[in-house]
Amino acid sequence: MHKIKVEDREFEIFLENETINKRIRLLGIQINVDYEQKCPLFIGVLNGSFLFMADLIKEIDVPCEVAFMRVASYEGTSSSGKVKELIGLPDDIEGRDIIIVEDIVDTGLTLTHILKTIKEKNPSSIKVSSLLLKPAALKYEIEELEYIGFEIPNEFVVGYGLDYNGLGRNLTDIYRATES
Ligand code: XMP
Ligand code: MG
């Protein structure tokens, strides 16, 4: 088993880049069909979504725009339950078809907060694409969750944009924390 160390923790390979990219190609096809004749505005949630956004957007062939925003809500390996303000949200959301791009949805608290804030700006429609979803951790019902890459067990993962204490975002594959 391919194992690596990020800071003080051991991780093992979980999703290889090729697997991730195959799945993203399928998500792209789905979005292209659903948004035919539309011009969606993709809004990535920084930092974790930057690689997923880069690969997803390359699969999109309808006209589209890309923006990023930030919300700080997470420290260490479990959700803190605190959600801070949204920074850098584009101001031309009214009447647009919005697709929020997330790296991972855990409890869903962050996403619920983002959705509430964006809905107040009267978009025409709003959906979410998240590379990863931990169904067992989900505490909020989110009907906008439409384009999910992988449903994963309730374990901490790192790589492909996801970090452990700021480290590991550069890893091409996704790794999960080993028991220990
Ligand atoms: P909630 O609980 O609000 O959390 O859905 C979503 C945010 O928590 C972070 N998160 C993780 N980050 N590996 C990470 O690197 C994980 O396994 C993980 N689980 C949750 C992430 O920043 C996400 O936006
Ligand atoms: Mg993070």
PDB file of all heavy atoms in Angstrom, residues 23-55:
ATOM      1  N   ARG A  23     -13.803  10.723 -13.446  1.00  0.00           N
ATOM      2  CA  ARG A  23     -15.075  11.136 -12.827  1.00  0.00           C
ATOM      3  C   ARG A  23     -15.403  12.580 -13.201  1.00  0.00           C
ATOM      4  O   ARG A  23     -16.572  12.916 -13.481  1.00  0.00           O
ATOM      5  CB  ARG A  23     -14.967  10.971 -11.297  1.00  0.00           C
ATOM      6  CG  ARG A  23     -16.228  11.292 -10.563  1.00  0.00           C
ATOM      7  CD  ARG A  23     -17.336  10.267 -10.815  1.00  0.00           C
ATOM      8  NE  ARG A  23     -18.602  10.756 -10.283  1.00  0.00           N
ATOM      9  CZ  ARG A  23     -19.700  10.983 -11.004  1.00  0.00           C
ATOM     10  NH1 ARG A  23     -19.722  10.700 -12.290  1.00  0.00           N
ATOM     11  NH2 ARG A  23     -20.780  11.447 -10.434  1.00  0.00           N
ATOM     12  N   ILE A  24     -14.396  13.425 -13.220  1.00  0.00           N
ATOM     13  CA  ILE A  24     -14.619  14.842 -13.556  1.00  0.00           C
ATOM     14  C   ILE A  24     -15.096  14.977 -15.005  1.00  0.00           C
ATOM     15  O   ILE A  24     -15.951  15.814 -15.309  1.00  0.00           O
ATOM     16  CB  ILE A  24     -13.344  15.681 -13.290  1.00  0.00           C
ATOM     17  CG1 ILE A  24     -13.078  15.736 -11.783  1.00  0.00           C
ATOM     18  CG2 ILE A  24     -13.471  17.088 -13.872  1.00  0.00           C
ATOM     19  CD1 ILE A  24     -11.795  16.450 -11.393  1.00  0.00           C
ATOM     20  N   ARG A  25     -14.580  14.140 -15.887  1.00  0.00           N
ATOM     21  CA  ARG A  25     -15.050  14.180 -17.285  1.00  0.00           C
ATOM     22  C   ARG A  25     -16.549  13.898 -17.358  1.00  0.00           C
ATOM     23  O   ARG A  25     -17.280  14.548 -18.096  1.00  0.00           O
ATOM     24  CB  ARG A  25     -14.264  13.187 -18.146  1.00  0.00           C
ATOM     25  CG  ARG A  25     -12.893  13.734 -18.549  1.00  0.00           C
ATOM     26  CD  ARG A  25     -12.319  12.981 -19.746  1.00  0.00           C
ATOM     27  NE  ARG A  25     -11.745  11.703 -19.360  1.00  0.00           N
ATOM     28  CZ  ARG A  25     -10.520  11.555 -18.828  1.00  0.00           C
ATOM     29  NH1 ARG A  25      -9.741  12.616 -18.635  1.00  0.00           N
ATOM     30  NH2 ARG A  25     -10.061  10.377 -18.499  1.00  0.00           N
ATOM     31  N   LEU A  26     -17.012  12.948 -16.551  1.00  0.00           N
ATOM     32  CA  LEU A  26     -18.441  12.622 -16.532  1.00  0.00           C
ATOM     33  C   LEU A  26     -19.273  13.766 -15.939  1.00  0.00           C
ATOM     34  O   LEU A  26     -20.360  14.072 -16.437  1.00  0.00           O
ATOM     35  CB  LEU A  26     -18.692  11.328 -15.747  1.00  0.00           C
ATOM     36  CG  LEU A  26     -18.120  10.050 -16.384  1.00  0.00           C
ATOM     37  CD1 LEU A  26     -18.343   8.854 -15.469  1.00  0.00           C
ATOM     38  CD2 LEU A  26     -18.757   9.794 -17.745  1.00  0.00           C
ATOM     39  N   LEU A  27     -18.750  14.389 -14.884  1.00  0.00           N
ATOM     40  CA  LEU A  27     -19.463  15.539 -14.304  1.00  0.00           C
ATOM     41  C   LEU A  27     -19.585  16.646 -15.344  1.00  0.00           C
ATOM     42  O   LEU A  27     -20.627  17.299 -15.461  1.00  0.00           O
ATOM     43  CB  LEU A  27     -18.712  16.074 -13.067  1.00  0.00           C
ATOM     44  CG  LEU A  27     -18.702  15.200 -11.816  1.00  0.00           C
ATOM     45  CD1 LEU A  27     -17.856  15.857 -10.729  1.00  0.00           C
ATOM     46  CD2 LEU A  27     -20.117  14.957 -11.300  1.00  0.00           C
ATOM     47  N   GLY A  28     -18.517  16.849 -16.118  1.00  0.00           N
ATOM     48  CA  GLY A  28     -18.517  17.873 -17.163  1.00  0.00           C
ATOM     49  C   GLY A  28     -19.587  17.602 -18.207  1.00  0.00           C
ATOM     50  O   GLY A  28     -20.327  18.514 -18.607  1.00  0.00           O
ATOM     51  N   ILE A  29     -19.701  16.358 -18.606  1.00  0.00           N
ATOM     52  CA  ILE A  29     -20.714  15.987 -19.606  1.00  0.00           C
ATOM     53  C   ILE A  29     -22.109  16.302 -19.075  1.00  0.00           C
ATOM     54  O   ILE A  29     -22.943  16.894 -19.758  1.00  0.00           O
ATOM     55  CB  ILE A  29     -20.597  14.484 -19.967  1.00  0.00           C
ATOM     56  CG1 ILE A  29     -19.308  14.246 -20.775  1.00  0.00           C
ATOM     57  CG2 ILE A  29     -21.826  14.013 -20.750  1.00  0.00           C
ATOM     58  CD1 ILE A  29     -18.947  12.778 -20.965  1.00  0.00           C
ATOM     59  N   GLN A  30     -22.337  15.925 -17.822  1.00  0.00           N
ATOM     60  CA  GLN A  30     -23.635  16.172 -17.174  1.00  0.00           C
ATOM     61  C   GLN A  30     -23.949  17.672 -17.136  1.00  0.00           C
ATOM     62  O   GLN A  30     -25.059  18.099 -17.468  1.00  0.00           O
ATOM     63  CB  GLN A  30     -23.523  15.670 -15.731  1.00  0.00           C
ATOM     64  CG  GLN A  30     -24.645  14.782 -15.261  1.00  0.00           C
ATOM     65  CD  GLN A  30     -24.404  14.416 -13.798  1.00  0.00           C
ATOM     66  OE1 GLN A  30     -23.297  14.054 -13.387  1.00  0.00           O
ATOM     67  NE2 GLN A  30     -25.446  14.523 -12.999  1.00  0.00           N
ATOM     68  N   ILE A  31     -22.968  18.468 -16.753  1.00  0.00           N
ATOM     69  CA  ILE A  31     -23.171  19.922 -16.652  1.00  0.00           C
ATOM     70  C   ILE A  31     -23.409  20.521 -18.040  1.00  0.00           C
ATOM     71  O   ILE A  31     -24.286  21.366 -18.227  1.00  0.00           O
ATOM     72  CB  ILE A  31     -21.974  20.593 -15.927  1.00  0.00           C
ATOM     73  CG1 ILE A  31     -21.947  20.156 -14.456  1.00  0.00           C
ATOM     74  CG2 ILE A  31     -22.043  22.119 -16.047  1.00  0.00           C
ATOM     75  CD1 ILE A  31     -20.712  20.581 -13.676  1.00  0.00           C
ATOM     76  N   ASN A  32     -22.652  20.067 -19.034  1.00  0.00           N
ATOM     77  CA  ASN A  32     -22.835  20.581 -20.401  1.00  0.00           C
ATOM     78  C   ASN A  32     -24.256  20.340 -20.911  1.00  0.00           C
ATOM     79  O   ASN A  32     -24.834  21.182 -21.587  1.00  0.00           O
ATOM     80  CB  ASN A  32     -21.835  19.933 -21.352  1.00  0.00           C
ATOM     81  CG  ASN A  32     -20.419  20.444 -21.136  1.00  0.00           C
ATOM     82  OD1 ASN A  32     -20.227  21.596 -20.742  1.00  0.00           O
ATOM     83  ND2 ASN A  32     -19.437  19.595 -21.368  1.00  0.00           N
ATOM     84  N   VAL A  33     -24.803  19.184 -20.562  1.00  0.00           N
ATOM     85  CA  VAL A  33     -26.176  18.861 -20.977  1.00  0.00           C
ATOM     86  C   VAL A  33     -27.167  19.750 -20.216  1.00  0.00           C
ATOM     87  O   VAL A  33     -28.050  20.377 -20.804  1.00  0.00           O
ATOM     88  CB  VAL A  33     -26.485  17.363 -20.721  1.00  0.00           C
ATOM     89  CG1 VAL A  33     -27.966  17.077 -20.895  1.00  0.00           C
ATOM     90  CG2 VAL A  33     -25.654  16.487 -21.640  1.00  0.00           C
ATOM     91  N   ASP A  34     -26.995  19.821 -18.887  1.00  0.00           N
ATOM     92  CA  ASP A  34     -27.947  20.558 -18.052  1.00  0.00           C
ATOM     93  C   ASP A  34     -27.933  22.067 -18.316  1.00  0.00           C
ATOM     94  O   ASP A  34     -28.925  22.751 -18.069  1.00  0.00           O
ATOM     95  CB  ASP A  34     -27.656  20.304 -16.569  1.00  0.00           C
ATOM     96  CG  ASP A  34     -27.932  18.854 -16.168  1.00  0.00           C
ATOM     97  OD1 ASP A  34     -28.497  18.104 -16.997  1.00  0.00           O
ATOM     98  OD2 ASP A  34     -27.578  18.474 -15.030  1.00  0.00           O
ATOM     99  N   TYR A  35     -26.802  22.602 -18.767  1.00  0.00           N
ATOM    100  CA  TYR A  35     -26.665  24.054 -18.937  1.00  0.00           C
ATOM    101  C   TYR A  35     -26.585  24.468 -20.409  1.00  0.00           C
ATOM    102  O   TYR A  35     -26.114  25.558 -20.734  1.00  0.00           O
ATOM    103  CB  TYR A  35     -25.457  24.576 -18.140  1.00  0.00           C
ATOM    104  CG  TYR A  35     -25.738  24.557 -16.665  1.00  0.00           C
ATOM    105  CD1 TYR A  35     -25.596  23.371 -15.936  1.00  0.00           C
ATOM    106  CD2 TYR A  35     -26.200  25.682 -15.990  1.00  0.00           C
ATOM    107  CE1 TYR A  35     -25.890  23.317 -14.582  1.00  0.00           C
ATOM    108  CE2 TYR A  35     -26.502  25.643 -14.635  1.00  0.00           C
ATOM    109  CZ  TYR A  35     -26.345  24.458 -13.942  1.00  0.00           C
ATOM    110  OH  TYR A  35     -26.645  24.409 -12.600  1.00  0.00           O
ATOM    111  N   GLU A  36     -27.062  23.601 -21.298  1.00  0.00           N
ATOM    112  CA  GLU A  36     -27.135  23.955 -22.705  1.00  0.00           C
ATOM    113  C   GLU A  36     -27.938  25.249 -22.854  1.00  0.00           C
ATOM    114  O   GLU A  36     -28.966  25.412 -22.196  1.00  0.00           O
ATOM    115  CB  GLU A  36     -27.820  22.809 -23.460  1.00  0.00           C
ATOM    116  CG  GLU A  36     -27.272  22.592 -24.840  1.00  0.00           C
ATOM    117  CD  GLU A  36     -28.120  21.626 -25.636  1.00  0.00           C
ATOM    118  OE1 GLU A  36     -28.742  20.732 -25.018  1.00  0.00           O
ATOM    119  OE2 GLU A  36     -28.153  21.778 -26.860  1.00  0.00           O
ATOM    120  N   GLN A  37     -27.474  26.156 -23.674  1.00  0.00           N
ATOM    121  CA  GLN A  37     -28.154  27.455 -23.885  1.00  0.00           C
ATOM    122  C   GLN A  37     -28.046  28.384 -22.671  1.00  0.00           C
ATOM    123  O   GLN A  37     -28.707  29.413 -22.624  1.00  0.00           O
ATOM    124  CB  GLN A  37     -29.660  27.273 -24.205  1.00  0.00           C
ATOM    125  CG  GLN A  37     -29.991  26.256 -25.268  1.00  0.00           C
ATOM    126  CD  GLN A  37     -29.521  26.691 -26.655  1.00  0.00           C
ATOM    127  OE1 GLN A  37     -29.238  27.853 -26.893  1.00  0.00           O
ATOM    128  NE2 GLN A  37     -29.412  25.736 -27.571  1.00  0.00           N
ATOM    129  N   LYS A  38     -27.240  27.999 -21.681  1.00  0.00           N
ATOM    130  CA  LYS A  38     -27.070  28.879 -20.516  1.00  0.00           C
ATOM    131  C   LYS A  38     -25.606  29.311 -20.414  1.00  0.00           C
ATOM    132  O   LYS A  38     -24.759  28.806 -21.154  1.00  0.00           O
ATOM    133  CB  LYS A  38     -27.505  28.159 -19.242  1.00  0.00           C
ATOM    134  CG  LYS A  38     -29.000  27.954 -19.207  1.00  0.00           C
ATOM    135  CD  LYS A  38     -29.451  27.330 -17.911  1.00  0.00           C
ATOM    136  CE  LYS A  38     -30.975  27.251 -17.903  1.00  0.00           C
ATOM    137  NZ  LYS A  38     -31.454  26.227 -16.996  1.00  0.00           N
ATOM    138  N   CYS A  39     -25.344  30.224 -19.497  1.00  0.00           N
ATOM    139  CA  CYS A  39     -23.970  30.683 -19.281  1.00  0.00           C
ATOM    140  C   CYS A  39     -23.707  30.678 -17.783  1.00  0.00           C
ATOM    141  O   CYS A  39     -23.799  31.704 -17.118  1.00  0.00           O
ATOM    142  CB  CYS A  39     -23.797  32.087 -19.871  1.00  0.00           C
ATOM    143  SG  CYS A  39     -22.146  32.778 -19.607  1.00  0.00           S
ATOM    144  N   PRO A  40     -23.427  29.477 -17.231  1.00  0.00           N
ATOM    145  CA  PRO A  40     -23.288  29.392 -15.781  1.00  0.00           C
ATOM    146  C   PRO A  40     -22.079  30.183 -15.251  1.00  0.00           C
ATOM    147  O   PRO A  40     -21.088  30.351 -15.947  1.00  0.00           O
ATOM    148  CB  PRO A  40     -23.103  27.891 -15.518  1.00  0.00           C
ATOM    149  CG  PRO A  40     -22.619  27.320 -16.811  1.00  0.00           C
ATOM    150  CD  PRO A  40     -23.218  28.169 -17.885  1.00  0.00           C
ATOM    151  N   LEU A  41     -22.238  30.643 -14.008  1.00  0.00           N
ATOM    152  CA  LEU A  41     -21.125  31.263 -13.284  1.00  0.00           C
ATOM    153  C   LEU A  41     -20.664  30.263 -12.223  1.00  0.00           C
ATOM    154  O   LEU A  41     -21.386  29.976 -11.268  1.00  0.00           O
ATOM    155  CB  LEU A  41     -21.593  32.578 -12.636  1.00  0.00           C
ATOM    156  CG  LEU A  41     -20.665  33.244 -11.612  1.00  0.00           C
ATOM    157  CD1 LEU A  41     -19.285  33.567 -12.200  1.00  0.00           C
ATOM    158  CD2 LEU A  41     -21.311  34.516 -11.051  1.00  0.00           C
ATOM    159  N   PHE A  42     -19.472  29.704 -12.433  1.00  0.00           N
ATOM    160  CA  PHE A  42     -18.891  28.777 -11.460  1.00  0.00           C
ATOM    161  C   PHE A  42     -18.228  29.600 -10.358  1.00  0.00           C
ATOM    162  O   PHE A  42     -17.421  30.478 -10.648  1.00  0.00           O
ATOM    163  CB  PHE A  42     -17.835  27.895 -12.120  1.00  0.00           C
ATOM    164  CG  PHE A  42     -18.384  26.879 -13.085  1.00  0.00           C
ATOM    165  CD1 PHE A  42     -18.651  27.221 -14.403  1.00  0.00           C
ATOM    166  CD2 PHE A  42     -18.624  25.571 -12.680  1.00  0.00           C
ATOM    167  CE1 PHE A  42     -19.151  26.282 -15.307  1.00  0.00           C
ATOM    168  CE2 PHE A  42     -19.119  24.622 -13.569  1.00  0.00           C
ATOM    169  CZ  PHE A  42     -19.383  24.979 -14.878  1.00  0.00           C
ATOM    170  N   ILE A  43     -18.575  29.305  -9.100  1.00  0.00           N
ATOM    171  CA  ILE A  43     -17.927  29.994  -7.980  1.00  0.00           C
ATOM    172  C   ILE A  43     -17.221  28.957  -7.116  1.00  0.00           C
ATOM    173  O   ILE A  43     -17.863  28.140  -6.452  1.00  0.00           O
ATOM    174  CB  ILE A  43     -18.932  30.791  -7.128  1.00  0.00           C
ATOM    175  CG1 ILE A  43     -19.692  31.810  -7.997  1.00  0.00           C
ATOM    176  CG2 ILE A  43     -18.199  31.503  -5.984  1.00  0.00           C
ATOM    177  CD1 ILE A  43     -20.747  32.615  -7.232  1.00  0.00           C
ATOM    178  N   GLY A  44     -15.906  28.968  -7.153  1.00  0.00           N
ATOM    179  CA  GLY A  44     -15.106  28.026  -6.379  1.00  0.00           C
ATOM    180  C   GLY A  44     -14.902  28.526  -4.961  1.00  0.00           C
ATOM    181  O   GLY A  44     -14.728  29.722  -4.728  1.00  0.00           O
ATOM    182  N   VAL A  45     -14.942  27.601  -4.006  1.00  0.00           N
ATOM    183  CA  VAL A  45     -14.704  27.947  -2.611  1.00  0.00           C
ATOM    184  C   VAL A  45     -13.233  27.644  -2.302  1.00  0.00           C
ATOM    185  O   VAL A  45     -12.816  26.481  -2.317  1.00  0.00           O
ATOM    186  CB  VAL A  45     -15.646  27.152  -1.680  1.00  0.00           C
ATOM    187  CG1 VAL A  45     -15.439  27.581  -0.232  1.00  0.00           C
ATOM    188  CG2 VAL A  45     -17.102  27.343  -2.092  1.00  0.00           C
ATOM    189  N   LEU A  46     -12.474  28.708  -2.070  1.00  0.00           N
ATOM    190  CA  LEU A  46     -11.034  28.561  -1.814  1.00  0.00           C
ATOM    191  C   LEU A  46     -10.769  28.102  -0.382  1.00  0.00           C
ATOM    192  O   LEU A  46     -11.581  28.355   0.482  1.00  0.00           O
ATOM    193  CB  LEU A  46     -10.337  29.914  -2.035  1.00  0.00           C
ATOM    194  CG  LEU A  46     -10.276  30.370  -3.501  1.00  0.00           C
ATOM    195  CD1 LEU A  46      -9.759  31.808  -3.584  1.00  0.00           C
ATOM    196  CD2 LEU A  46      -9.406  29.431  -4.328  1.00  0.00           C
ATOM    197  N   ASN A  47      -9.624  27.468  -0.054  1.00  0.00           N
ATOM    198  CA  ASN A  47      -8.599  27.150  -1.037  1.00  0.00           C
ATOM    199  C   ASN A  47      -8.822  25.803  -1.726  1.00  0.00           C
ATOM    200  O   ASN A  47      -8.317  25.562  -2.817  1.00  0.00           O
ATOM    201  CB  ASN A  47      -7.216  27.090  -0.332  1.00  0.00           C
ATOM    202  CG  ASN A  47      -6.774  28.438   0.171  1.00  0.00           C
ATOM    203  OD1 ASN A  47      -7.048  29.465  -0.414  1.00  0.00           O
ATOM    204  ND2 ASN A  47      -6.070  28.434   1.303  1.00  0.00           N
ATOM    205  N   GLY A  48      -9.532  24.924  -1.029  1.00  0.00           N
ATOM    206  CA  GLY A  48      -9.552  23.513  -1.410  1.00  0.00           C
ATOM    207  C   GLY A  48      -9.994  23.186  -2.825  1.00  0.00           C
ATOM    208  O   GLY A  48      -9.610  22.161  -3.377  1.00  0.00           O
ATOM    209  N   SER A  49     -10.812  24.056  -3.444  1.00  0.00           N
ATOM    210  CA  SER A  49     -11.426  23.697  -4.733  1.00  0.00           C
ATOM    211  C   SER A  49     -10.593  24.049  -5.956  1.00  0.00           C
ATOM    212  O   SER A  49     -11.017  23.805  -7.077  1.00  0.00           O
ATOM    213  CB  SER A  49     -12.789  24.395  -4.861  1.00  0.00           C
ATOM    214  OG  SER A  49     -12.600  25.779  -5.064  1.00  0.00           O
ATOM    215  N   PHE A  50      -9.397  24.613  -5.756  1.00  0.00           N
ATOM    216  CA  PHE A  50      -8.710  25.204  -6.919  1.00  0.00           C
ATOM    217  C   PHE A  50      -8.310  24.181  -7.978  1.00  0.00           C
ATOM    218  O   PHE A  50      -8.433  24.462  -9.175  1.00  0.00           O
ATOM    219  CB  PHE A  50      -7.536  26.095  -6.489  1.00  0.00           C
ATOM    220  CG  PHE A  50      -6.310  25.365  -6.008  1.00  0.00           C
ATOM    221  CD1 PHE A  50      -5.161  25.355  -6.780  1.00  0.00           C
ATOM    222  CD2 PHE A  50      -6.296  24.709  -4.790  1.00  0.00           C
ATOM    223  CE1 PHE A  50      -4.016  24.695  -6.339  1.00  0.00           C
ATOM    224  CE2 PHE A  50      -5.159  24.047  -4.341  1.00  0.00           C
ATOM    225  CZ  PHE A  50      -4.012  24.039  -5.120  1.00  0.00           C
ATOM    226  N   LEU A  51      -7.882  23.007  -7.582  1.00  0.00           N
ATOM    227  CA  LEU A  51      -7.502  22.000  -8.594  1.00  0.00           C
ATOM    228  C   LEU A  51      -8.730  21.370  -9.234  1.00  0.00           C
ATOM    229  O   LEU A  51      -8.768  21.131 -10.439  1.00  0.00           O
ATOM    230  CB  LEU A  51      -6.611  20.919  -7.971  1.00  0.00           C
ATOM    231  CG  LEU A  51      -5.183  21.350  -7.649  1.00  0.00           C
ATOM    232  CD1 LEU A  51      -4.384  20.174  -7.079  1.00  0.00           C
ATOM    233  CD2 LEU A  51      -4.470  21.901  -8.881  1.00  0.00           C
ATOM    234  N   PHE A  52      -9.736  21.097  -8.420  1.00  0.00           N
ATOM    235  CA  PHE A  52     -10.989  20.542  -8.946  1.00  0.00           C
ATOM    236  C   PHE A  52     -11.603  21.520  -9.950  1.00  0.00           C
ATOM    237  O   PHE A  52     -12.007  21.118 -11.048  1.00  0.00           O
ATOM    238  CB  PHE A  52     -11.940  20.252  -7.782  1.00  0.00           C
ATOM    239  CG  PHE A  52     -13.307  19.772  -8.192  1.00  0.00           C
ATOM    240  CD1 PHE A  52     -13.467  18.832  -9.214  1.00  0.00           C
ATOM    241  CD2 PHE A  52     -14.446  20.240  -7.543  1.00  0.00           C
ATOM    242  CE1 PHE A  52     -14.736  18.385  -9.589  1.00  0.00           C
ATOM    243  CE2 PHE A  52     -15.706  19.799  -7.903  1.00  0.00           C
ATOM    244  CZ  PHE A  52     -15.861  18.875  -8.936  1.00  0.00           C
ATOM    245  N   MET A  53     -11.654  22.791  -9.597  1.00  0.00           N
ATOM    246  CA  MET A  53     -12.189  23.803 -10.512  1.00  0.00           C
ATOM    247  C   MET A  53     -11.396  23.809 -11.819  1.00  0.00           C
ATOM    248  O   MET A  53     -11.983  23.825 -12.910  1.00  0.00           O
ATOM    249  CB  MET A  53     -12.134  25.190  -9.865  1.00  0.00           C
ATOM    250  CG  MET A  53     -12.571  26.309 -10.781  1.00  0.00           C
ATOM    251  SD  MET A  53     -14.340  26.310 -11.100  1.00  0.00           S
ATOM    252  CE  MET A  53     -14.846  27.578  -9.917  1.00  0.00           C
ATOM    253  N   ALA A  54     -10.081  23.791 -11.720  1.00  0.00           N
ATOM    254  CA  ALA A  54      -9.233  23.851 -12.924  1.00  0.00           C
ATOM    255  C   ALA A  54      -9.537  22.683 -13.853  1.00  0.00           C
ATOM    256  O   ALA A  54      -9.663  22.855 -15.070  1.00  0.00           O
ATOM    257  CB  ALA A  54      -7.761  23.846 -12.521  1.00  0.00           C
ATOM    258  N   ASP A  55      -9.677  21.491 -13.297  1.00  0.00           N
ATOM    259  CA  ASP A  55      -9.932  20.311 -14.133  1.00  0.00           C
ATOM    260  C   ASP A  55     -11.378  20.258 -14.614  1.00  0.00           C
ATOM    261  O   ASP A  55     -11.643  19.867 -15.747  1.00  0.00           O
ATOM    262  CB  ASP A  55      -9.564  19.034 -13.364  1.00  0.00           C
ATOM    263  CG  ASP A  55      -8.049  18.852 -13.270  1.00  0.00           C
ATOM    264  OD1 ASP A  55      -7.323  19.412 -14.127  1.00  0.00           O
ATOM    265  OD2 ASP A  55      -7.584  18.163 -12.346  1.00  0.00           O
TER     266      ASP A  55
END
